[in-house]
Amino acid sequence: MTDNSNQVLSASLLRVLTLDGGGAKGFYTLGVLKEIEAMVGCPLYQKFDLVFGTSTGAIIASLIALGYSIDAILNLYRSHVPTVMSQKDASARSAALKKLANEIFVNASFSDVKTGIGVITAKWLTERPMIFKGSVAQAHGRVGTFVPGFGVSVADAVRASCSAYPFFARTIITTATGEEIELVDGGYCANNPTLYAIADAVRALGFAHEDIRLVSVGVGVYPEPKPKLLMRLAKKYLISVQLLQKTLEINTQSMDQLCSILFHDVPTVRISDTYVAPEMATDLLEHDLKKLDILFQRGRESFASREKILREYLM
């Protein structure tokens, strides 16, 4: 939207894509998006006017906004996610995440995006959200001082959105005005970023509720994996993993419920199926590529039951 904001503002419909956080479970998201991209027959940045993402959803959303195909993103995930998630402590995971972000995004800035973008993070000290955007059309105020992405690189913004403390170190970014801000995973304020996307659509861009078409993709809901012996011995670590998982899931469900109450008249497709089979047990730190590929397959299957309405929204 950086380059075509006037075209978006004059369009009759605004198509919005929102992507939940969930660490390695983003493979499920990619399965859904693989089918959507095949259905619409073009890169997703050409179909969606706003793409918002949190944590793993921020990685995918940013790559979509920069013009990547879903196949290209999937290849990156298969190459890098198991490496990041298999590290043994927060310092090593954070170093691997930084390396991944720098290799993928290189010098990309928020001025380079091809459609509207929202990357959700949370300020550690002031406990408020910080959302990185590419277009002044999405600003809710302070238009005169707007800088795409606050002058922060896409790599650093995405890394901050994925900083699921305490399993990743907090991220310090430096804005265009020289401010240093400490950030953590956007999942702490909006693991499901849909409300923030609707706020941009309605308040900033001025679209009526009935003129929005929203596709919200989660990461699926799964049984908790049985802890390995080492994790059982490290009881404090195990409890921390469970607490983080619960925090993000409660946040996701809360946001979803608020959207259905406050914006029930915004045409919405929500895709995030629940699985109860023991073999589907997984969490955000999963690094078994075979299991992650099963999540990808489940995402593709989840698309099928919504294909008709998605076709109505997007074709």
Side-chain angles (χ1 to χ4, degrees), residues 87-152:
Q87 301 303 312
K88 300 303 182 185
D89 56 43
S91 177
R93 283 189 211 100
S94 298
L97 177 61
K98 183 176 182 178
K99 184 174 183 288
L100 162 63
N102 290 338
E103 287 183 2
I104 290 178
F105 295 105
V106 193
N107 296 318
S109 75
F110 282 88
S111 296
D112 298 323
V113 297
K114 301 174 184 293
T115 192
I117 180 74
V119 171
I120 313 298
T121 67
K123 296 180 181 179
W124 177 252
L125 293 179
T126 60
E127 301 162 347
R128 295 175 63 86
M130 183 172 184
I131 305 174
F132 295 85
K133 304 177 183 182
S135 172
V136 68
Q138 294 172 251
H140 293 260
R142 294 188 288 181
V143 171
T145 57
F146 179 88
V147 176
F150 303 100
V152 174

Side-chain angles (χ1 to χ4, degrees), residues 214-231:
L214 175 66
V215 179
S216 174
V217 184
V219 296
V221 180
Y222 310 93
E224 289 186 9
K226 291 183 179 179
K228 297 178 181 178
L229 175 61
L230 184 60
M231 290 182 67

Side-chain angles (χ1 to χ4, degrees), residues 260-279:
S260 65
I261 294 171
L262 298 175
F263 298 103
H264 58 88
D265 52 349
V266 172
T268 300
V269 180
R270 172 70 176 167
I271 307 175
S272 190
D273 288 335
T274 298
Y275 301 92
V276 297
E279 59 268 24

Side-chain angles (χ1 to χ4, degrees), residues 46-66:
Q46 294 180 359
K47 183 59 63 173
F48 289 99
D49 307 298
L50 289 178
V51 185
F52 270 58
T54 299
S55 197
T56 193
I59 299 176
I60 299 169
S62 297
L63 289 170
I64 288 172
L66 289 168

Side-chain angles (χ1 to χ4, degrees), residues 6-295:
N6 289 334
Q7 178 181 341
V8 170
L9 292 172
S10 63
S12 58
L13 293 177
L14 187 80
R15 294 183 172 90
V16 181
L17 176 65
T18 65
L19 308 176
D20 288 11
K25 294 182 292 183
F27 274 80
Y28 174 92
T29 308
L30 289 171
V32 176
L33 297 179
K34 168 70 176 176
E35 295 297 331
I36 292 177
E37 185 181 69
M39 180 185 72
V40 299
C42 66
L44 294 183
Y45 78 87
Q46 294 180 359
K47 183 59 63 173
F48 289 99
D49 307 298
L50 289 178
V51 185
F52 270 58
T54 299
S55 197
T56 193
I59 299 176
I60 299 169
S62 297
L63 289 170
I64 288 172
L66 289 168
Y68 282 68
S69 69
I70 298 304
D71 278 344
I73 300 173
L74 178 62
N75 287 336
L76 291 171
Y77 262 57
R78 283 175 171 159
S79 298
H80 294 284
V81 168
T83 301
V84 174
M85 295 305 183
S86 63
Q87 301 303 312
K88 300 303 182 185
D89 56 43
S91 177
R93 283 189 211 100
S94 298
L97 177 61
K98 183 176 182 178
K99 184 174 183 288
L100 162 63
N102 290 338
E103 287 183 2
I104 290 178
F105 295 105
V106 193
N107 296 318
S109 75
F110 282 88
S111 296
D112 298 323
V113 297
K114 301 174 184 293
T115 192
I117 180 74
V119 171
I120 313 298
T121 67
K123 296 180 181 179
W124 177 252
L125 293 179
T126 60
E127 301 162 347
R128 295 175 63 86
M130 183 172 184
I131 305 174
F132 295 85
K133 304 177 183 182
S135 172
V136 68
Q138 294 172 251
H140 293 260
R142 294 188 288 181
V143 171
T145 57
F146 179 88
V147 176
F150 303 100
V152 174
S153 69
V154 175
D156 283 350
V158 165
R159 187 162 58 92
S161 185
C162 295
S163 295
Y165 183 77
F167 297 97
F168 289 83
R170 302 188 292 271
T171 298
I172 297 177
I173 56 95
T174 303
T175 69
T177 57
E179 300 166 279
E180 287 193 349
I181 303 173
E182 193 171 19
L183 300 172
V184 292
D185 196 298
Y188 286 111
C189 62
N191 201 54
N192 174 350
T194 299
L195 277 178
Y196 288 124
I198 292 176
D200 275 19
V202 174
R203 298 298 183 187
L205 300 177
F207 276 80
H209 293 191
E210 63 270 18
D211 294 332
I212 300 169
R213 298 294 180 270
L214 175 66
V215 179
S216 174
V217 184
V219 296
V221 180
Y222 310 93
E224 289 186 9
K226 291 183 179 179
K228 297 178 181 178
L229 175 61
L230 184 60
M231 290 182 67
R232 289 201 299 269
L233 294 174
K235 187 175 181 180
K236 183 177 180 181
Y237 176 86
L238 176 60
I239 292 173
S240 296
V241 173
Q242 294 172 332
L243 180 59
L244 176 61
Q245 191 75 33
K246 284 290 185 184
T247 298
L248 298 181
E249 185 57 36
I250 291 169
N251 183 291
T252 298
Q253 298 295 341
S254 297
M255 289 291 180
D256 194 34
Q257 187 175 37
L258 282 172
C259 286
S260 65
I261 294 171
L262 298 175
F263 298 103
H264 58 88
D265 52 349
V266 172
T268 300
V269 180
R270 172 70 176 167
I271 307 175
S272 190
D273 288 335
T274 298
Y275 301 92
V276 297
E279 59 268 24
M280 290 300 297
T282 190
D283 61 25
L284 76 167
L285 297 178
E286 182 64 62
H287 53 269
D288 182 340
L289 189 54
K290 289 184 178 179
K291 180 168 284 188
L292 294 174
D293 276 336
I294 291 173
L295 301 192

